[in-house]
Each structure stands twice: as C-alpha cells, then as structure tokens.
Amino acid sequence: SLAPTAITCFTRGLDLRKGTEDVLCPANCPLWQFYVFGDGVYASLSSICGAAIHRGVITNAGGTVRVQTLPGQENYPAVNANGIQSQALARWASSFSVTHTKNTVLEAVGRSVSTARPSTGKRPKKPLDKKAGNKDCKADIAFLIDGSYNIGQRRFNLQKNFVGKVAVMLGIGTEGPHVGVVQASEYPKIEFYLKNFTAAKEVLFAIKELGFRGGNSNTGKALKHTAQKFFSLENGARKGIPKIIVVFLDGWPSDDIEEAGIVAREFGVNVFIVSVAKPTTEELGMVQDISFVDKAVCRNNGFFSYQMPTWFGTTKYVKPLVQKLCSHEQMLCSKTCYNSVNIGFLIDGSSSVGDSNFRLVLEFISNVAKAFEISDIGSKIAAVQFTYEQHAEFSFTDYTTKEKVLSAIRNIRYMSGGTATGEAISFMTRNVFGPMKDGPNKNFLVILTDGQSYDDVRGPAAAAQKAGITVFSVGVAWAPLDDLKDMASEPRESHTFFTREFTGLEQMVPDIIRGICKDFLDSKQ
C-alpha cells in the first residue's frame, strides 16, 4: 500500500481529493483547537485528526488514519468523546468517516514528525477567551449576500472574501457576535443560521463553501424572508441582543424593497445596506425606485448605509463597517412596538354588558395581549374593571410572562353595576400608568365600553393624553360615538372603533395591534 500522506492537525476532510485515503496525523495536536462536527460520520469541514481522536482511532500521540469520503447529510450530532466535544451542524454538503488502517508499521514515523508544534505551557490560555469572542460586541447578524446574475461568479467570490474578513474582525464567539448567511437571488436561501457556528474559523469555512446561485436580485423578497424567519429562538437568536441584517447589493434590486424594510423594522431588525457599484446616471432609468437604500435601512440618518466603489481592494472598508455593527447603542430599530409598550385595558363591567358578552371582551383583550413580547424588560399589560367603582385587576408589574398575563385575564370576574368611565380613566392614569411614567416603554390605554357614561369623559381623557398615554376607544352596542371620539387620541378616526355586536370585537384585534405599532413607530421617527 502507498505511504500515508502526512497532514497537519488542522487538515479538514474537504481538503482531501480522493474517495479513500490513508493519512498520517502528527502528535500533540492542541485538542482545544479542533473543530469537529458530528459523531462517526463527520461533516467535511471537521479536522481529520480531531475526528480520529474523537472516534478513538488514534490518541493524541498521532498515527495513521483511513479517511473515507461520504455524501452530505442533515443533523450532525454534538457528542463529547476522548477529550473532544464535537459540535452539532444542521446540514453539510459532504462528510467523511475515519477508521484504523490495516498497516500499522508507520506508527513510529508518525511520532518523529511530532516536534512540529512544541507545546509551551502558556499556549492554551488565549483561545479560551477566543471561544467567548468579543464580549463588547453583542449582536446577532445575518449577512444577506448578493447571489444574482448582477454580481456574477467572480465578484461573488470577492464578496465572500469581504464578508469573511468582516466575520473574523467582529470577534465571533459564544459570548460575542453570532452570524449567519442568507443568499439573495431569484429565491432567498438561508445558508446557515446563527446557532450553527460560534467560532470565526468555522464561519470562514462555511462562507468559503457557499455556491453561487444566479437569477434576479430579488433583495426585497430575501430581506422580508430573513426578517421574518431567520431570527427565531430555535434558530439561535438570543433574547435582548440586537438583531442586524447587513444587505450586500451589487447595483440595485430587481424587486420592491420598501415593504421589506417596514417588515424588518416591525420585527425589531436593524437593516444596514452595503451598496457596491451604485447605478450610473445611464442606468438609473432601469431602477424601480431610486431611493431604495433610504427606504430599506433602519433609519435614514446616514449611519445604516455604507458604500464601496467596487469589490476590489475592500480591506480598508472592513474595520469601519465592523465598528458600526458593534455600536449597539445606535441600533435604533431593536426597540419595537412588540417589546417596548405598556398597554392598559379599561374594561366596562356595567350590568348592560352581561356575563357571556363579558367573556367575549376578555377574549378580545387576550388576543391583543398575545401579539406582544411580555417580559420584565419587554412589554407589559395591566387591566382595570369599572362600574361606578374601579377595580385594579392587575398592574403592569404583577405579571412578567405572557402565560401569566393570559391566565390573569381569564380569571377576571364580572362585577356588574353602573358606568362611570371618566372617573375610571382618571384612576387608571393616576394609579396604573403613574408608576410607569419615567419608564422606557410607550404607554397605551384601550378603553372598552358598551354605553353612555354618567360622568364627563373629555377632561379625564385629555389629562391622560397630556400624561403621554395614547388612547384607543372601543365602543359596542349603545356606546355613543361622540363619547368614543372625545376619549380617543388624535387622529380620532384611527383611534376610535365601534361594533354593534360583541361578536364584532374579534375582527378589530389586528387593527388595534396595527394602530399601536403605527403610533409606536411614528413616535420614534
């Protein structure tokens, strides 16, 4: 048999070209530097020697290993074996397995090669920090790369190099930034998620392996898809960490990007656009919307747009972009209407409502509350029921999870009595919103009533609005439209809702949520 090929500690499965090959691993490879994905069957970006030690084929004294190339698969598991923790990987294009070679005469030769990396006692210190990454740069980032015919294969490769350099300089690590890649072309393709890799080296491998797709540059479609699908908790997004999409655009998009920008802002995603080779004066006629950059970015304040004249000589652009991505105090879109509002519900418990209709009111409140991210640092919900008296069902600080809030709403008991709406608004402003006055969240009051109030509503509603509370009024059955408009914030048309029947409340849920989000975004512009 042929002599085995000598390889380094870091040679990967994908570096070998033959279907089956015998290789010689050196001794004393630093175990903590191995990247190994899977167990038994390893993703081809794994270190061969790392996989062989993990599998028990050799020890850290080195030796010969037979490597068999295998097709790619999904779900490579994470397993701890022989001092090496392999990592999970959702899928990879090719794999390999490692076994003993039949011929062990060469083991001794393997040892003599081992002096290549003398181990100095100090060595392992730094990489432990390296694993944690740059703790000062907290961000979950999706690089949305251009894979269209606009950019072509050659510039696509230059783009990959640039993204790789940015990824390395960011300082990716378990406690630092996490990144993933989505390729925009005719249809978007999520290449890898935030959870797939937590070290710069692995991300670099993965970027190197990306294939060019071609097709139209439907950047709008890809941006919307990324904003909606990429940042879920199960895909590795972390709570309370800014979400960022960096859109790379060669030329201009083939589709509309404005709506995608709005969706991204609603989802709390900070969109950056890196445009390369802007359209020339002659080309502008072909561009659907000349101000596409301004409409897609998080804020049109200059911070979120970035220009490079060409894909050549881009090294000097790496650091300024990284500095932007790491300034989390500038991520103005991380606050969304879903995670940064206090919503107080003022519920009419008068005798004209009746028990079964009261249940429909509670269902309406639950369905509105469900849309928001309720937590101690997120959105908060409170509820007060009123007749002639006011009963605080629960305050903003009583429950900090969605489950507990929904359970508290279900448990509200119907009071029955008269209707003093004005007094109830004053009670709510003073006792429920009062303690939240200087908090970070925007305050909203949703009033539900089915009839005429016995007292003045205009004065208390004006006082609530003066205290920074946006008021939505929802009337049912006999609620007079004049009262509803007097209570509602400006513009009154979009803050006043009415339905003849209690069953009509259900249809209003999306409009109330949209109204709250619109007011929230307007207040931030």
Side-chain angles (χ1 to χ4, degrees), residues 243-264:
K243 302 195 260 285
I244 299 173
I245 299 177
V246 184
V247 180
F248 291 93
L249 243 179
D250 189 294
W252 60 90
S254 321
D255 61 351
D256 172 44
I257 198 167
E258 184 176 6
E259 188 209 349
I262 294 168
V263 169

Side-chain angles (χ1 to χ4, degrees), residues 75 82 100 118 158 272 281 284 295 316 332 404 469:
N75 301 326
N82 300 316
H100 295 276
L158 293 170
F272 283 78
T281 323
L284 279 175
K295 288 180 178 170
K316 63 175 176 287
L332 302 176
K404 286 183 176 160
I469 302 164

Side-chain angles (χ1 to χ4, degrees), residues 169-186:
M169 190 173 259
L170 277 168
I172 294 162
T174 49
E175 295 173 55
H178 290 181
V179 307
V181 171
V182 182
Q183 186 173 169
S185 54
E186 195 71 45

